[in-house]
Structures are given as structure tokens and as C-alpha cells.
Amino acid sequence: MPAETVHAPHGPLPTGGAVRPITRWGTPVMHRAQQPVTSYDEELRTLAADMVATMYAADGVGLAACQIGVDLAMFVFDCPDASGERTVGVVCNPVLRLPEGRDRQLEEDEEGCLSFPGAYVECARPDHAAVTGTGLDGAPVSFEGDGLLARCLQHETDHTLGTVFGDRLSTKLRKRLQKAHDRSVEDYPPEWPAG
């Protein structure tokens, strides 16, 4: 079997971070636009490493800073595209570009959120997405893809704007999501996935 391909166009994810508890929906920082990253220093690199460690501990494919309670417009990800190739990266101050007109195709697929754990429902999103921003050193970065990667780039950029994917759902789907979350709440204590 061939070795798994990992696409890291702007370098590997930072390592050595500490796992932090994940912030839940309903916490104010989750529902407001995040502050732009203006200082590319050791503190930012430490935050990114903690985000990566937390994302992996929670078995996620992406994590925004607000999801560990930090009011900064940035996210980390390690996510496969439609072909199964994983892309990894860190994006500060992300700007999302989506297809328009005839190029815009919606894909209905299950979506979940580490800040509302244990619950998944169908959510329609464009099947391709591109994000530009800056990396941990302040240099420009850009990522694009299809499949789950497209969904991830949209989902995480939404977090930096104060939008959770539940905001994009009908009342009926939100109720189904809430019921699924309520059924699994005991599996995810407040300090999860830390501790």
C-alpha cells in the first residue's frame, strides 16, 4: 500500500503543543467576528501548536482559535480532499473565495463541529473553496480544494467570522442536531479533549 500523501504547501504544522479544552457553542467568543492577527511572534506559534494538539486529540480535521477560547482570526487544519490527499496548514486572517455562477455546485454532506460535539447533520456547501491569508511568519498563504477539504475551509473561516454551522441550518435540522448533541453530552465533559 502506498504511503499516504500529505500536501503541506506552506510547511508542516507546528508540534509540541498542549491539548486545551474545547470552547462550546453559546460562549460569546464563538458568536462574534474574531480580532485580526497582527503580531507574528512566539506566542502565536505556541497558540498554533496548542490548536494542532487539541485538533488531533479531538479527532478533528480543523480547529479555529475561538474554539479554544482565543479571540483571534486563525485556524489550523489537516484534512483530506475528495481524492483522499491530506492538506495541512495554518491560516491567519482568512479570506474565503467560493465558485460563482455556473461553477457553483452545492454538495450535501454530513457536517459536525468540535464545539458542539457528538452531533452531525446534512449541510449544503459549495463543493470547492479557496482561502488566502497569512502563515505564522506573516507570509501569504493560499489553500484550495474539494470534498471534505472544501467544507473544512468554509467551516473554519466561518468560525473566524463568528458563524457556527448551526447558523446555516433550517430550524428542523438545528433541532435534529441539538437532539444528537444532547444524547452524547456525557461523552464530552467540559474539559474534553484535555485532561
Side-chain angles (χ1 to χ4, degrees):
M1 205 164 136
E4 188 176 26
T5 308
V6 178
H7 185 56
H10 302 285
L13 292 174
T15 58
V19 177
R20 299 200 203 177
I22 288 181
T23 303
R24 306 302 168 93
W25 290 7
T27 308
V29 73
M30 297 293 300
H31 303 282
R32 64 172 180 253
Q34 306 298 296
Q35 296 297 313
V37 173
T38 56
S39 187
Y40 297 89
D41 54 13
E42 195 56 42
E43 194 176 330
L44 188 72
R45 281 186 284 282
T46 299
L47 171 63
D50 287 357
M51 289 165 63
V52 170
T54 304
M55 172 182 73
Y56 286 142
D59 289 326
V61 294
L63 191 79
C66 64
Q67 293 184 273
I68 56 169
V70 178
D71 187 352
L72 274 182
M74 71 180 284
F75 67 85
V76 300
F77 68 97
D78 178 344
C79 187
D81 63 14
S83 76
E85 180 183 59
R86 283 168 45 211
T87 299
V88 302
V90 180
V91 186
C92 301
N93 307 325
V95 176
L96 183 68
R97 287 192 328 276
L98 298 172
E100 294 178 8
R102 277 195 292 245
D103 293 330
R104 186 179 173 91
Q105 302 289 323
L106 292 182
E107 193 169 75
E108 283 269 355
D109 209 347
E110 277 205 330
E111 192 162 332
C113 182
L114 296 177
S115 291
F116 204 68
Y120 301 86
V121 294
E122 300 272 313
C123 180
R125 297 240 191 211
D127 65 356
H128 191 275
V131 164
T132 56
T134 51
L136 292 177
D137 56 0
V141 298
S142 65
F143 299 94
E144 66 180 298
D146 56 11
L148 184 59
L149 179 58
R151 185 171 295 276
C152 175
L153 295 175
Q154 294 171 71
H155 181 113
E156 300 307 333
T157 301
D158 273 356
H159 275 310
T160 70
L161 302 171
T163 299
V164 296
F165 93 94
D167 296 337
R168 298 188 174 278
L169 299 175
S170 66
T171 302
K172 182 179 170 185
L173 283 175
R174 272 192 78 114
K175 283 181 179 165
R176 191 184 313 159
L177 188 72
Q178 183 69 53
K179 281 182 182 165
H181 173 69
D182 291 348
R183 279 194 301 272
S184 63
V185 75
E186 287 179 13
D187 297 332
Y188 301 97
E191 66 278 7
W192 176 81

